[in-house]
Amino acid sequence: MAERAIRSFTEKARSLLADANLPKFMWAECVSTTCYLSNLVTTRDLKKTSYELWYGKEPSIEHLRAFGYDAFVRISKQKRNKFDKKVRKGQLIGYGPSTKLYRIYFQDLQDVRIVRDVKFNEEKQNSFYVEDEMKSLSTSDETYELKKMILLKS
């Protein structure tokens, strides 16, 4: 049972690495994110999430963003000079201990930081992906509209 779960996490992490074009040394961050997300998904047997079983309430999913999104992190005034950049570009690779915190990978620093003041470039990231996915959808109008809403939201 445990071996199957580990294999599933590993396969999902491999997909995340490839999709976000991250270096292989980021595999542990991908496995951590996979585990975090799996706790927010319902199980077949119990029809509840692991989070619901543990805490007794439904999890909030409003903070979730697509893995690998471009993230722009605000640099505080104390850490910059007058003519320095106000933001630093990174990639979303996971979630912090609170729903307001995100784990961001900065390629120029080769570092992962947990940050709060972050904006995501959601429009640019999904523009081609949504069009490709919508071409492969079924012809049912209800299914098409539902999948369109899900793809545009994620």
Side-chain angles (χ1 to χ4, degrees):
M1 182 82 165
E3 291 86 2
R4 178 68 184 131
I6 291 170
R7 182 175 178 195
S8 293
F9 288 157
T10 305
E11 292 296 323
K12 290 173 186 175
R14 183 178 294 124
S15 296
L16 290 176
L17 275 174
D19 189 48
N21 291 325
L22 289 171
K24 287 184 182 178
F25 69 83
M26 299 298 294
W27 68 268
E29 294 289 341
C30 294
V31 171
S32 175
T33 301
T34 301
C35 183
Y36 176 82
L37 294 174
S38 71
N39 286 328
L40 301 179
V41 177
T42 58
T43 60
R44 272 186 258 163
D45 300 336
L46 301 174
K47 306 289 187 217
K48 289 188 174 190
T49 66
S50 300
Y51 184 93
E52 281 180 274
L53 294 173
W54 189 259
Y55 293 106
K57 61 181 181 178
E58 286 189 18
S60 171
I61 58 170
E62 293 176 4
H63 67 287
L64 296 180
R65 301 287 184 267
F67 189 86
Y69 263 175
D70 287 341
F72 297 94
V73 179
R74 183 179 166 275
I75 302 170
S76 66
K77 288 181 181 180
Q78 295 81 14
K79 295 184 179 180
R80 62 180 158 89
N81 294 323
K82 187 173 186 174
F83 294 107
D84 288 345
K85 295 183 204 175
K86 291 185 178 182
V87 295
R88 181 182 301 269
K89 184 180 176 185
Q91 271 184 299
L92 173 70
I93 60 164
Y95 303 92
S98 165
T99 58
K100 295 179 181 180
L101 298 174
Y102 297 95
R103 295 180 67 81
I104 306 294
Y105 170 63
F106 297 101
Q107 190 170 9
D108 57 340
L109 301 175
Q110 295 289 307
D111 191 24
V112 175
R113 297 194 179 161
I114 299 175
V115 296
R116 184 183 69 179
D117 297 328
V118 62
K119 299 282 184 189
F120 296 99
N121 187 5
E122 297 178 14
E123 296 86 25
K124 184 179 176 186
Q125 187 78 16
N126 280 340
S127 60
F128 299 110
Y129 174 72
V130 171
E131 292 300 320
D132 291 342
E133 286 297 316
M134 286 173 47
K135 288 177 186 174
S136 67
L137 297 176
S138 66
T139 57
S140 166
D141 288 338
E142 288 181 22
T143 306
Y144 177 82
E145 289 301 318
L146 179 63
K147 287 185 178 181
K148 182 179 172 183
M149 286 185 346
I150 291 170
L151 289 171
L152 290 175
K153 184 172 182 174
S154 64

